[in-house]
Amino acid sequence: MAAGRLWVIATPIGNLDDLSPRAAEALRAVALIAAEDTRHSAPLLARVGSAARMLALHEYNEREQSARIVEAILAGSDVALISDAGTPLVSDPGYRLVRAVREAGGIVSPVPGPCAAIAALSVAGLPSDRFVFEGFLPAKSGARRERMQALAGETRTLIVYESSHRIVDSLADAITVFGAAREGVLARELTKLFETVIAGTLGEIAARVGADPNQQRGEFVLLIGGAADADADAQLAEGRRVFALLREELPPAKAAKLAAAITGAARKALYHVE
Ligand code: SAM
C-alpha cells in the first residue's frame, strides 16, 4: 500500500472566510487532523464539513504524537497538521513532526495561507525586501531587553509576536533599546472586528497604546524598522562626492555611471543629486 501524506495546512488568523478552498478540501479529505487545541479547531472543521478524527499535538507531546502520525501515514492515511491560527510551525509546534514524517519516507506538502507575521508585514509600509522574524521575545523584561539589545544594530525590518499582557512593557523596552524615534508598526487583531494598524515612531505607538486600554487588547505583531546602515550611508556619501567631481567634466549619465563603478554606490541614487 502506498504511504499517505502529511498536509501542513494554514488556517485563518481571525476571519474564517480566509480559509482557502484547497485547505477546506484537504481538511475534508484526510482521515486524521493533528491540532493544538482540538476544541478551538472544532468550529472551523464543522464549517468545512470535515469528519476527520482529531489528535492533540503540542510542544510537550510532539515526539510521541509524531510516532503515531508516522504510523498512520505509513499505513496509507493522509493526515493534516493545523495550528489554532495561521501557519503551523511559525511560533507553533510541528517541525519535529515534519522531520519525522520525512525521515520515515513520507511526503510532506504545504497548503499555504494566512500567517500573522506576513499579514502584518504586508500592511506595515516598512522595507520588506529583507526582514527578520524573531517570534516571541522572552517574557521577562531583563531577558527581553537583552534579546532586543542583540538586535539593536539589525538593519532589516524586525518582526515579533506579542501578547496583550506584555505589549505595554515590550513597547517600553523597545524604546529603551531602539530609541523612541525608531520607526515601527503595531498590527493588532488583523482580519478581525477590531483590526488596528498603528504606524509611527516607537514613542508615538507607545503613547497611543498607553493612553487607550482598548489598544492593549487582543493579538499583536510588532514591527520595528531596521537600524540605519552606516556602511551604505558612507558609500552613498562617497558616491555623491565622486559624482559631483566627475560632473564638472562629464555629462550626468556618464558621471553617474563612473561614480557608481568607482564607489559601488547605486547609480540611480546618484542621479537624484542633479
Ligand atoms: N502560527 C501563527 C501564524 O502563522 O501567524 C502564529 C502563532 S503564535 C502562537 C500566535 C501569535 O501570533 C499571537 O500571540 C500574535 O502575536 C500573532 N497573531 C495571531 N493572530 C493574529 C492577528 N489576527 N492579529 C495580530 N497578531 C496575530
Side-chain angles (χ1 to χ4, degrees):
M1 176 187 280
R5 186 181 292 252
L6 176 68
W7 296 98
V8 181
I9 302 177
T11 55
I13 57 168
N15 188 331
L16 293 189
D17 290 339
D18 289 340
L19 188 79
S20 75
R22 185 164 172 253
E25 197 186 311
L27 289 170
R28 273 192 296 271
V30 295
L32 184 63
I33 297 176
E36 282 182 275
D37 181 341
T38 51
R39 269 180 313 177
H40 174 97
S41 297
L44 180 78
L45 300 181
R47 183 183 160 113
V48 300
S50 169
R53 196 157 59 83
M54 293 193 78
L55 184 143
L57 183 115
H58 304 280
E59 210 88 58
Y60 66 81
N61 71 359
E62 194 173 338
R63 271 179 220 287
E64 304 114 67
Q65 298 295 56
S66 294
R68 285 191 194 173
I69 293 167
V70 166
E71 210 175 291
I73 288 176
L74 294 183
S77 297
D78 274 3
V79 177
L81 169 66
I82 59 173
S83 296
D84 285 353
T87 300
L89 280 78
V90 179
S91 289
D92 268 330
Y95 87 85
R96 293 180 191 87
L97 171 62
V98 165
R99 193 185 281 230
V101 171
R102 186 167 299 122
E103 280 172 4
I107 298 172
V108 184
S109 291
V111 181
C115 171
I118 300 301
L121 183 68
S122 75
V123 294
L126 291 169
S128 51
D129 47 349
R130 291 187 183 83
F131 56 89
V132 190
F133 174 64
E134 273 284 318
F136 288 98
L137 294 172
K140 295 220 169 88
S141 183
R144 186 164 55 230
R145 279 195 204 181
E146 218 170 275
R147 186 70 206 125
M148 285 178 171
Q149 202 61 58
L151 296 160
E154 175 58 63
T155 54
R156 294 167 290 184
T157 294
L158 178 62
I159 307 177
V160 298
Y161 283 159
E162 199 43 278
S163 74
S164 53
H165 319 294
R166 291 193 278 270
I167 190 61
V168 170
D169 291 347
S170 271
L171 283 168
D173 287 342
I175 287 173
T176 304
V177 174
F178 300 101
R182 181 73 73 89
E183 226 189 331
V185 170
L186 186 63
R188 182 177 81 96
E189 292 288 90
L190 293 173
T191 77
K192 302 187 215 176
L193 184 59
F194 296 111
E195 176 181 286
T196 319
V197 178
I198 306 174
T201 64
L202 291 178
E204 287 163 351
I205 295 170
R208 176 127 174 240
V209 171
D212 182 356
N214 284 329
Q215 291 300 327
Q216 299 166 23
R217 299 203 170 104
E219 298 192 282
F220 299 87
V221 183
L222 174 63
L223 299 98
I224 297 172
D229 186 338
D231 288 348
D233 288 352
Q235 188 181 55
L236 182 60
E238 181 61 3
R240 286 183 171 158
R241 190 183 71 79
V242 173
F243 175 71
L245 287 172
L246 294 173
R247 181 69 191 89
E248 286 173 17
E249 306 292 335
L250 297 169
K254 184 123 198 178
K257 192 174 168 193
L258 279 175
I262 293 164
T263 63
R267 189 154 51 103
K268 271 191 194 157
L270 301 179
Y271 261 122
H272 293 306
V273 179
E274 275 286 280

